Amino acid sequence: MTRVLSVTSECVPLVKTGGLADVAGALPGALAAHGVDMRTILPGYPKVLSAQPEAKPVHRFDDLFGGPAAVLRGTLGDTVLYILDAPHLYNRSGSIYLGPDGQDWPDNPFRFAALCMAAAVIATDGIDGWAPQVLHLHDWQAGLTPVYLQQRGATHVKTLATVHNIAFQGLAPAHLRGALALPEAGFTRDGYEYWGKISALKAGLVYATRLSTVSPTYAEELMTPEFGMGLEGLLRQRAADLTGILNGIDEAVWQPPYSDLTGKAEHKRALQQEFGLDPAEGPLCVVIARLTGQKGLDLLLEALPALLAQGGQMIVLGSGEPELEAAFRQAAKTQPGVAVYIGYDEALSRRMMAGADATLVPSRFEPCGLTQLYGLRFGTIPVVSLTGGLADTIINASAAGLAAGVATGLQFHPVTGLALANAFTRLGALYRQRDVWAQMVRNAMAHPVGWDSSARAYADLFAEMTGAE
Ligand code: ADP
């Protein structure tokens, strides 16, 4: 068994703000079948501690960045969870990253440096009679770990830094490097310095043994100025160490309540009724997303007339930027074929996937994306921009894709309102060809979207890193 410690700031089902939590929560269980003993270390936020009342201390720190701390042993499904209980850093209400003013907690550099330090100590000294061979570092919050490992001389422990979204880099003022116990010598352009600041993400990308991100296409994109957010040069230098491994979905949770296209009809009718939509000639499309610029939803508003011209309908579930919320509310008011629910509701998102014909994901960038995977599983044809994980998971209904009988969705490029409008016209035409549509739905539902092949890819990577067979 390869022993791996996953170092993460969030983890399903305990605490989640984004897709990172889904990955951190799903991987340990999925990897067990592939000969990997993955344990997890997570900060002891109040809701983590209250969900794990049985957790017992297995290690103590007299002083971890300003106060005493302990590592508690709890459980994550059938795997081991280590909880870093450091009340001076984590015992506060509200969001895990943001204070009541909506800004980052001012001591965030210390809150996550503590997580990294605890991981480095566990890697060097072992815990509980167990010592990891590899540390799996998620995003900037785990980025300083390889620096602390090097300081502790634990060069035999390997590290994999995984980027879930490069937009978040964990920058801190330069004067904190002493207080963060960072070596002076590393504060250079080749080290953890980023334009005069400390960058926790860059530290991870410079010092980790290997790098990964959540799709092969995003891995390529990260090496370009358009997507690399200033770190593209570094990533190009480390191209040989960078891999893209797709996320999977939890198929036990995302199980369609039907086995083929005919079973969808009653769910479609129920969904239309729930939202007060009349039966229509064209495809019923859904959007389930954070309403932000990243997701390209302004393009959707621009292209909406093309969908409606096909007799199509659209239901939007999401919350986020006030202007987008207002614009979708307005569209619902003025267009009979459009309905909107502003909020976050997972049960509703499943009813929408079950009842819709198509799911729309017009993102400007998308490291992996989950909604198109749910769409495949539910036979709810994904209409996606050609970027990141959306490029890697959907087989476009191009002439070639259709002729070969393998298409699972529609891709559009460039990411503009016009290209999306053209995709809606294609969508309408495909939807009217019932045999072609039925074939696409069958293809989509048969496409593997679970964790199995990705878990194997991670297991192979860990084995390669440790020199195991
Ligand atoms: P990101 O992590 O960038 O938000 P992903 O597609 O990777 O995008 O993951 C988003 C997850 O959040 C999906 O599981 C999606 O279904 C869910 N989601 C987003 N908005 C909502 C909402 N308003 N209600 C329910 N689920 C939502």
Side-chain angles (χ1 to χ4, degrees), residues 231-242:
L231 295 172
E232 61 274 6
L234 164 60
L235 289 164
R236 269 202 303 275
Q237 275 172 25
R238 297 213 58 190
D241 296 324
L242 173 64

Side-chain angles (χ1 to χ4, degrees), residues 8-13 15-26 47 95-97 138-139 141 164-165 168 214 247 290 294-295 344 346 366 369-370 374:
T8 182
S9 57
E10 43 186 284
C11 183
V12 161
V15 51
K16 166 171 173 169
T17 75
L20 151 64
D22 291 304
V23 179
K47 58 178 158 187
S95 146
I96 58 174
Y97 304 127
H138 296 280
D139 272 351
Q141 291 89 345
H164 296 267
N165 190 336
F168 305 107
V214 288
N247 292 337
R290 294 182 291 117
Q294 176 196 336
K295 299 291 174 183
Y344 189 97
E346 205 171 303
E366 194 60 78
L370 292 173
Y374 304 147

Side-chain angles (χ1 to χ4, degrees), residues 68-326:
V71 178
L72 316 181
R73 182 184 164 127
T75 54
L76 178 67
D78 294 331
T79 65
V80 175
L81 174 70
Y82 294 116
I83 303 164
L84 180 60
D85 184 17
H88 61 296
L89 300 172
Y90 307 128
N91 185 15
R92 49 187 85 167
S93 54
S95 146
I96 58 174
Y97 304 127
L98 310 177
D101 57 358
Q103 304 294 316
D104 287 349
W105 291 108
D107 59 347
N108 271 355
F110 295 96
R111 296 175 72 228
F112 298 104
L115 178 69
C116 299
M117 184 62 87
V121 170
I122 289 175
T124 334
D125 301 351
I127 191 164
D128 228 4
W130 182 87
Q133 298 159 286
V134 179
L135 300 183
H136 188 187
L137 312 174
H138 296 280
D139 272 351
W140 75 265
Q141 291 89 345
L144 296 178
T145 311
V147 181
Y148 296 143
L149 267 184
Q150 276 188 15
Q151 263 179 340
R152 301 176 60 82
T155 45
H156 61 286
V157 181
K158 308 290 187 236
T159 45
L160 171 66
T162 297
V163 177
H164 296 267
N165 190 336
I166 205 159
F168 305 107
Q169 304 193 350
L171 298 178
H175 70 85
L176 291 183
R177 54 196 190 275
L180 287 169
L182 293 171
E184 241 352 270
F187 192 67
T188 64
R189 281 182 57 174
D190 299 336
Y192 62 81
E193 183 208 336
Y194 185 74
W195 299 102
K197 293 189 169 168
I198 298 164
S199 167
L201 180 68
K202 190 177 170 210
L205 299 180
V206 169
Y207 297 110
T209 319
R210 297 290 289 264
L211 312 177
S212 78
T213 187
V214 288
S215 68
T217 296
Y218 193 57
E220 296 288 330
E221 288 171 345
L222 283 178
M223 292 186 269
T224 68
E226 194 186 343
F227 294 93
M229 303 220 178
L231 295 172
E232 61 274 6
L234 164 60
L235 289 164
R236 269 202 303 275
Q237 275 172 25
R238 297 213 58 190
D241 296 324
L242 173 64
T243 331
I245 302 177
L246 283 168
N247 292 337
I249 64 172
D250 185 339
E251 292 180 291
V253 175
W254 290 93
Q255 181 72 254
Y258 44 80
S259 54
D260 59 21
L261 184 56
T262 45
K264 264 180 105 62
E266 60 177 293
H267 295 279
K268 177 170 180 177
R269 194 60 213 119
L271 183 63
Q272 285 168 323
Q273 276 164 355
E274 182 173 352
F275 280 90
L277 296 175
D278 291 329
E281 288 299 300
L284 171 59
C285 301
V286 291
V287 178
I288 301 158
R290 294 182 291 117
L291 303 183
T292 68
Q294 176 196 336
K295 299 291 174 183
L297 300 171
D298 47 320
L299 307 177
L300 204 53
L301 287 160
E302 208 182 312
L304 188 57
L307 175 63
L308 300 176
Q310 297 296 319
Q313 297 173 316
M314 181 174 78
I315 304 174
V316 177
L317 164 62
S319 62
E321 291 169 11
E323 314 78 68
L324 279 171
E325 291 186 356

Side-chain angles (χ1 to χ4, degrees), residues 40-59:
T40 304
I41 181 164
L42 179 71
Y45 312 113
K47 58 178 158 187
V48 172
L49 291 173
S50 60
Q52 300 266 326
E54 309 286 310
K56 295 275 178 309
V58 284
H59 187 92

